Amino acid sequence: MSSTFERSLSQRLAILLAVIIQIGATFLPQLGLGEPIGDRSDSVRTLITPSGWAFAIWGPLFFGSAVYAVWQILPGQRDNTLLAQIGWPSVIALSFQGLWAIYTQFANLTFVSALIILTSLGALLTILNRLVSFERPFSLAERLIVTITFSALAAWLTAASIVNISASLVYHGVGGSGQYPLVTAAIVAVGGVIAAIATARSRGNPWYALVFCWALLAIYFRGGQESGAIALATLVSGLLVVGAVVVGLKEKANRHHWFG
């Protein structure tokens, strides 16, 4: 049974600081420090680098993170059991996104950047697991601020991790310029299987599935136009993820869990 206790001030402040790092790190190039992430991405572009419009999703993701940081520090949330369970993992997840941005802007999409983003993803999957197993119904604020924001972040970083690993291979001299489309397609397919399993294990989480399919769509409209294998891999991956949602949400308890 969930226990209620007051969250520490250090945790609440750490979350606020993590979001400041997460969002603030992206503005360094505007201060003349480092190179924009978009330029870094273009320098090591692969067949699974999403279309540029896909990255607009960072706007809503940053907004959700900022709202979470402000909301969780309010006096009324000091004894929120859900926030107590996800607080420290969210510090890791959000601050490491900022660390990834800082590193990438100075050093490009290397294997180190892949390790950083995988660390953030690991923390997000921990949060996702705790959201799935949370015992009581979510409040409306928890549903809108926590479940949607962190499900979406987990999905986007699942896709971003795959893209980062592929870009890192190019940076270190493996592939590039559209080489090995079948291998790249296989990477997309593996990512789709992983996302489908994550969706199934998270009770058909619709927010996770929606954002991952957004990433697949962006890959399709870029690499999928250059390679039939990539197009097929994105289609199959999307069907697997959608199928996992449909099966998961057949359960009334799962629909109630995510939608109330």
Side-chain angles (χ1 to χ4, degrees), residues 54-71:
F55 296 96
I57 197 172
W58 275 115
L61 293 178
F62 283 157
F63 177 76
S65 298
V67 172
Y68 165 71
V70 173
W71 174 73

Side-chain angles (χ1 to χ4, degrees), residues 68-216:
Y68 165 71
V70 173
W71 174 73
Q72 64 83 34
I73 207 170
L74 296 177
Q77 305 307 321
R78 284 181 297 188
D79 60 354
N80 186 304
T81 306
L82 175 62
L83 294 179
Q85 291 185 10
I86 70 168
W88 290 116
S90 74
V91 170
I92 296 171
L94 299 169
S95 61
F96 268 70
Q97 288 165 35
L99 179 60
W100 177 86
I102 294 169
Y103 178 87
T104 301
Q105 287 165 165
F106 283 96
N108 216 319
L109 292 160
T110 70
F111 279 126
V112 174
S113 70
L115 290 175
I116 295 171
I117 203 170
L118 286 170
T119 300
S120 179
L121 176 60
L124 287 168
L125 293 178
T126 297
I127 293 171
L128 193 61
N129 182 61
R130 293 178 183 178
L131 293 177
V132 169
S133 60
F134 195 61
E135 295 175 350
R136 67 165 169 76
F138 299 119
S139 69
L140 179 60
E142 289 169 344
R143 199 177 307 281
L144 295 176
I145 298 172
V146 178
T147 66
I148 294 178
T149 296
F150 284 102
S151 296
L153 278 168
W156 184 249
L157 261 72
T158 301
S161 296
I162 297 166
V163 173
N164 199 150
I165 290 170
S166 178
S168 298
L169 290 171
V170 173
Y171 178 84
H172 292 288
V174 181
S177 302
Q179 294 183 54
Y180 314 119
L182 293 180
V183 173
T184 308
I187 293 173
V188 174
V190 169
V193 170
I194 292 172
I197 292 172
T199 302
R201 290 175 62 87
S202 61
R203 303 170 68 172
N205 187 330
W207 317 121
Y208 180 96
L210 181 64
V211 172
F212 191 82
C213 286
W214 168 269
L216 287 176

Side-chain angles (χ1 to χ4, degrees), residues 9 26 37 77 206 241 256:
L9 178 61
T26 62
I37 294 173
Q77 305 307 321
V241 172
H256 179 71

